[in-house]
Amino acid sequence: MLDHWIFIGIFIAIAAVFPLLPIVLARFVAPRKPNPIKLDTYECGMETVGDTWVQFKVQYYIYALVFLVFDIETAFLFPWAVAFDALPLFAVLEGVLFILILAGCLLYCWGKGALEWS
Amino acid sequence: MSFINDPITFLAEWITQFLGGFLPEAWVTFIVTLLGVIITASFGLVFVIFLIWLERKIAARFQDRLGPNRAGPFGLLQTFADIVKLITKEDVIPEKADKLTFNIAPILSVVAVLLIWAVVPFAPGWIGTDLNVGVLYIAAVGSFGILSILMAGWSSNNKYALLGAFRAVAQLISYEVPMLVTLMVPVLLARSMGMMTMVESQDLWFIFLAPISAIIFLVSSIAEVGRTPFDLIEAESEIVAGYHTEYTGMKFGLFFAAEFLHAFTIGVLFAIFFLGGWRGPGAEQFRLLGVVYLMLKGLLGYFVVMWVRSTLPRIRIDHMLAFNWKFLTPLSLALLVMTAILDKVFGDTALRFPVLLAGNGSVLLVTWLALRWTSRRHTKERRVFKKRPVAKPA
Amino acid sequence: MTVEQAVFLFTSALILFSGFMMVTRRNLVHAALYLIVALFGVAVIFVLLEAGFLAVVQVLVYIGAIAILMIFAVMLTRGDISKEQEPVNADFGWALMLAALFCFGLIILIGQWPAVNSQAPALSAETDTVFELGSALVSPDAYVIPFEVASVLLLAALIGALVVARPHKKSK
């Protein structure tokens, strides 16, 4: 089984090299004439106003939280799905119970307004 | 196993024999594996050159125009011209940008998409590596792509890029939930997470056993790639160019290429999970036919993605996230529960297909009724008009 | 030195290096990125232990969800993203002594546990570990109770996190 993963390891190395080739090529071919205006941060053609920070919007964090819970849920459910053949109906219903509890979780978030954008 | 039937295995054995004559065995395995890696990785990259041309031509035809037709016959060399142009552009790195993260982000973006091709089953016996957790592996390397967007947006030291990156990541992680849940349905039906087993167990294509899950998978994959109607990630008119505002030249080209390759990859994944992969008449004897079938089905999926892109307008971010969390996620969970119970009871019988189809149909019916009920409730609220002042001639 | 040993040594060095960098960086986002490298190293260790499923779940959950959550938290609460934090405070000496005591104590304790030096029973080459894990998770005389409790735990965790994180209605 380990040699399956060695393939992946070599693949990561080669896949990291492939995009590097055009960038390295561009380093030789492309012009390099930096001036302060070009190196400045882009703000629709004007000077930047204020420091670079983003309005604190907690909604991003909440979406990441809910995604985390469902991600872990699917991580638990994948082995259950693989072992499906050997499971009696009772075991399948146990998995369904797991899903229903987490569906209840989603309903809670929905009801509390945690899924609203604004 | 002759050359015509199975070229790759034949060549692999020939090279192993040839090199085994003068190199120790570990080196031989390494070189053969390396060759396999290079072929698999290059396949996707070479195909993307053809794909960019195809995309531009088809998008153009949808818009009743010709598309690129100057560079080479039928504009086939257009992509090469674009690559040359991007390589010769100056690479501007903003002054206060975080150099290492800024440079790694486009490379990570391409690597994340290329890694998916390591587990794509091209034909019976031709697969990069048949991991027993292939399906979950694909979901996991998608998270590297998400990370690259966050790195790109933050390292540009540009508040629009950062804002664009946040919105992009919010969209991508939201749509990963229905994608993972609907991905569980083929795993359930095939009883395995291995990609080769997934294709081999599709005597009846899974799209007939789980049509709605297939559609939800396609929709959430389109959102994962960032294509219209979900292309808020690069909505040019809204937040400049989103997270890759500050990228120039070939680094921008790499983001661009990664997106196109990703769009085609989800077409191929859709073909593998729901359309039977390389299965088709004669694929077991002539392995090359398996590749042809897979590519044709993948191109069909890709065509649907392009068709949707040319037809629908962009969705606003709050509508998009509401659509995901309040419609797709509960629906995909309901479909998973229904498929699990029905497949356990009727899975081994001949009734599998009609029962699952009926299950999907009933979920569709219930969803339609629920949507009608909620929309009727909304219209009832909206029907109360307030009298507004109307301009009248004096 | 087999390939496996070489990969293990390289990965362990990578994990230790990125762990060290993570706790000493002043820029919090850099620290988060080093954390991601460390987590990826742990996934490689899982692969070396022939637990491919755990490696993939490690990348999917830790790097794909938890690390992103942490980066969001850092970027959204720090205001100016280029501001740097002082990594140590005045009690550094005491903390170092306490940490060293704890670490050596743990090493001695774990060294006396018999399972450290014994060999785990070898599985036959046929066992599909994911299949075994799946049947164990839902079989009544294996881990079904922790399985269901895990879902309740996730529910409780999410409710708790939402209570803390959700913006409260401003009474004006």
Side-chain angles (χ1 to χ4, degrees), chain A residues 38 42 49 85 87 116, chain B residues 90 159 191 246 326 344:
Chain A
K38 247 199 261 183
Y42 181 73
V49 176
D85 264 338
L87 303 178
E116 303 294 327
Chain B
E90 178 178 349
K159 46 178 169 284
R191 314 281 197 258
E246 297 280 1
K326 301 182 184 174
K344 193 59 199 175

Side-chain angles (χ1 to χ4, degrees), chain A residues 45-82:
Chain A
M46 332 178 308
E47 302 263 316
T48 50
V49 176
D51 291 324
T52 312
W53 58 274
V54 175
Q55 183 76 45
F56 175 60
K57 204 177 166 68
V58 75
Q59 203 51 45
Y60 293 117
Y61 189 78
I62 294 181
Y63 282 132
L65 266 176
V66 184
F67 164 64
L68 175 62
V69 168
F70 280 93
D71 209 13
I72 301 178
E73 170 193 0
T74 57
F76 271 107
L77 286 174
F78 267 100
W80 168 76
V82 169

Side-chain angles (χ1 to χ4, degrees), chain A residues 1 3-5 7-8 10-12 14-16 18-20 22-23 25-27 29-34 36 38-44 49-54 60 63-64 66-67 70-71 73-74 77-82 84-89 92-93 96 99-100 103 106 110 115-117, chain B residues 30 33-34 36-38 40-42 45 87-90 92-95 107 110-111 114-115 118 128-131 133 135-137 157-160 162-163 166-167 170 173 176-177 180-181 184 187-188 191 193 240 245-246 250-251 254 317-318 321 325-326 329-330 333 336-337 340-341 343-345:
Chain A
M1 209 239 300
D3 40 313
H4 286 165
W5 288 96
F7 186 93
I8 302 280
I10 303 179
F11 204 97
I12 294 179
I14 300 285
F18 274 0
L20 270 176
I23 292 186
L25 185 60
R27 179 143 304 193
V29 170
R32 200 110 52 95
K33 298 188 177 66
K38 247 199 261 183
L39 295 175
D40 209 0
T41 312
Y42 181 73
E43 191 157 324
C44 297
V49 176
D51 291 324
T52 312
W53 58 274
V54 175
Y60 293 117
Y63 282 132
V66 184
F67 164 64
F70 280 93
D71 209 13
E73 170 193 0
T74 57
L77 286 174
F78 267 100
W80 168 76
V82 169
F84 208 66
D85 264 338
L87 303 178
L89 184 62
V92 172
L93 288 176
V96 168
I99 297 176
L100 287 177
L106 182 69
W110 191 339
L115 302 174
E116 303 294 327
W117 172 249
Chain B
F30 177 68
T33 318
L34 190 66
V37 166
I38 294 181
T40 320
S42 327
L45 283 177
I87 291 185
T88 55
K89 290 277 183 191
E90 178 178 349
V92 177
I93 304 183
E95 217 175 346
I107 300 179
V110 175
V111 167
L114 274 184
L115 277 177
T129 172
D130 193 11
L131 293 177
V133 290
V135 174
L136 213 51
Y137 165 84
N157 199 40
N158 178 340
K159 46 178 169 284
Y160 293 110
L162 191 57
L163 184 64
F166 276 168
R167 285 157 69 131
I173 60 177
E176 203 164 322
V177 173
L180 284 172
V181 175
M184 232 187 298
V187 170
L188 201 88
R191 314 281 197 258
M193 280 200 262
V240 194
T245 309
E246 297 280 1
M250 205 52 210
K251 294 186 189 147
L254 283 177
I317 188 156
D318 52 340
L321 292 171
W325 290 111
K326 301 182 184 174
T329 312
L333 286 172
L336 178 64
V337 167
I341 297 180
D343 203 41
K344 193 59 199 175
V345 177

Side-chain angles (χ1 to χ4, degrees), chain C residues 6-47:
Chain C
V7 172
F8 173 71
L9 285 173
F10 174 70
T11 314
S12 312
L14 183 70
I15 295 176
L16 291 172
F17 170 71
S18 39
F20 176 73
M21 293 296 266
M22 180 192 119
V23 298
T24 53
R25 289 306 97 196
R26 291 163 186 248
N27 188 331
L28 279 178
V29 180
H30 281 166
L33 293 174
Y34 277 115
L35 174 67
I36 290 175
V37 175
L39 292 171
F40 182 70
V42 173
V44 176
I45 300 276
F46 275 132
V47 168

Side-chain angles (χ1 to χ4, degrees), chain A residues 83-89 92, chain B residues 188-191 201 203 209 339-356:
Chain A
F84 208 66
D85 264 338
L87 303 178
L89 184 62
V92 172
Chain B
L188 201 88
L189 293 172
R191 314 281 197 258
S201 55
D203 291 322
L209 293 175
T339 313
I341 297 180
L342 287 181
D343 203 41
K344 193 59 199 175
V345 177
F346 296 100
D348 296 318
T349 65
L351 285 173
R352 192 189 202 197
F353 170 45
V355 164
L356 279 175

Side-chain angles (χ1 to χ4, degrees), chain B residues 8-207:
Chain B
I8 302 257
T9 321
F10 184 80
L11 276 169
E13 281 175 2
W14 184 82
I15 294 180
T16 320
Q17 245 179 335
F18 174 66
L19 289 176
F22 52 87
L23 281 178
E25 201 193 309
W27 278 94
V28 173
T29 333
F30 177 68
I31 292 182
V32 171
T33 318
L34 190 66
L35 278 174
V37 166
I38 294 181
I39 292 178
T40 320
S42 327
F43 183 83
L45 283 177
V46 165
F47 219 75
V48 85
I49 294 178
F50 167 65
L51 278 173
I52 296 181
W53 170 82
L54 189 68
E55 157 108 32
R56 290 174 72 164
K57 275 295 198 184
I58 295 190
R61 293 290 169 158
F62 271 113
Q63 294 164 5
D64 205 16
R65 56 183 174 89
L66 285 176
N69 59 356
R70 299 272 170 179
F74 295 111
L76 277 167
L77 299 179
Q78 180 68 41
T79 320
F80 290 106
D82 283 333
I83 296 176
V84 170
K85 176 193 80 169
L86 284 171
I87 291 185
T88 55
K89 290 277 183 191
E90 178 178 349
D91 185 18
V92 177
I93 304 183
E95 217 175 346
K96 301 208 207 80
D98 188 12
K99 290 224 169 21
L100 188 62
T101 329
F102 190 83
N103 288 324
I104 289 185
I107 300 179
L108 191 61
S109 181
V110 175
V111 167
V113 181
L114 274 184
L115 277 177
I116 300 181
W117 286 89
V119 293
V120 165
F122 289 104
W126 295 5
I127 186 173
T129 172
D130 193 11
L131 293 177
N132 63 338
V133 290
V135 174
L136 213 51
Y137 165 84
I138 290 179
V141 299
S143 63
F144 281 130
I146 299 179
L147 214 58
S148 76
I149 293 181
L150 212 47
M151 284 165 65
W154 175 76
S155 62
S156 307
N157 199 40
N158 178 340
K159 46 178 169 284
Y160 293 110
L162 191 57
L163 184 64
F166 276 168
R167 285 157 69 131
V169 171
Q171 171 187 322
L172 291 181
I173 60 177
S174 298
Y175 275 91
E176 203 164 322
V177 173
M179 194 178 87
L180 284 172
V181 175
T182 48
L183 214 50
M184 232 187 298
V185 172
V187 170
L188 201 88
L189 293 172
R191 314 281 197 258
S192 164
M193 280 200 262
M195 299 292 271
M196 204 48 113
T197 326
M198 175 86 56
V199 177
E200 280 164 5
S201 55
Q202 291 194 43
D203 291 322
L204 179 63
W205 291 359
F206 285 159
I207 194 173

Side-chain angles (χ1 to χ4, degrees), chain C residues 110-120:
Chain C
I110 292 182
Q112 294 178 339
W113 181 39
V116 164
N117 288 320
S118 66
Q119 197 79 340

